[in-house]
Amino acid sequence: MSAPQPLAVDPVRNEREIARFWSSVVRGPGADDCWVWVGAIGDDGYGRFWIKRDGRQRAVRPHRYALVLANGGAPLPLDWVSLHLCDVPLCVRAGAHVVAGTPRENSRDMAEKGRVRGRWNRWLPGTGRDRAERSRAVRAAVRDGWDGQRFRDALHGAGDHPALF
Ligand SMILES: [Zn+2]
């Protein structure tokens, strides 16, 4: 076993790979909308993007790929973790919705978010299986083109939330 290699993307050499990446992303039209990965989804509810490095196939999480792209293709430090500020695991809108930092920075963000946006956490299932189910629903909602209402219903698990009064 070799140590995991940090992901790098060469804007010239990997041009076709980058085009393939964006062809699996549906961008919401709004300034605050998510950009949703509509390619493969793993059992953990996160996307899977297959790339080839050094002659080997390798699956990466699309939001991490997007973070590297936003970094000009240069690798991020291996110990950095990524965080979805929008709570949508399939979102690849790096910078605005997906950020990366040291684990310390991110745990602080999570604590803040838990206080400020606790309402959202209700829809953040604790298990990978639930998250995968939700991610597949979200993907199905936007795969044929952005539909904000279908997207929100899928995200919140239509029929799953308590009756309004
Ligand atoms: Zn998002």
Side-chain angles (χ1 to χ4, degrees):
M1 293 273 293
S2 55
Q5 292 299 305
L7 173 67
V9 182
D10 186 315
V12 175
R13 208 157 43 125
N14 300 127
E15 191 182 355
R16 288 177 64 186
E17 176 187 281
I18 294 168
R20 187 164 56 83
F21 174 81
W22 289 118
S23 74
S24 287
V25 174
V26 172
R27 301 182 189 207
D32 298 323
D33 284 337
C34 288
W35 297 354
V36 180
W37 173 256
V38 295
I41 296 173
D43 290 339
D44 57 3
Y46 287 94
R48 292 288 186 278
F49 181 50
W50 286 91
I51 60 174
K52 204 170 190 178
R53 290 289 184 279
D54 303 322
R56 287 186 175 180
Q57 293 284 338
R58 168 179 177 190
V60 296
R61 290 182 172 186
H63 65 274
R64 292 195 74 102
Y65 191 90
L67 283 166
V68 172
L69 281 182
N71 197 35
L76 302 170
L78 270 179
D79 64 332
W80 278 27
V81 293
S82 52
L83 175 72
H84 279 93
L85 299 174
C86 60
D87 288 338
V88 180
L90 294 183
C91 185
V92 299
R93 189 164 192 172
H97 291 201
V98 188
V99 296
T102 64
R104 189 191 171 90
E105 284 168 352
N106 265 342
S107 57
R108 200 170 52 216
D109 278 352
M110 282 181 198
E112 301 255 316
K113 193 161 69 113
R115 279 198 297 274
V116 177
R117 304 185 60 191
R119 164 176 96 81
W120 276 86
N121 293 340
R122 195 154 63 84
W123 288 300
L124 264 188
T127 70
R129 182 178 296 189
D130 291 343
R131 195 166 53 208
E133 206 166 287
R134 187 178 68 141
S135 285
R136 284 191 290 267
V138 166
R139 177 180 62 183
V142 301
R143 186 152 48 185
D144 300 322
W146 184 263
D147 181 327
Q149 188 59 52
R150 280 188 70 191
F151 171 74
R152 282 187 294 276
D153 285 349
L155 198 58
H156 300 171
D160 194 25
H161 38 84
L164 299 172
F165 56 88

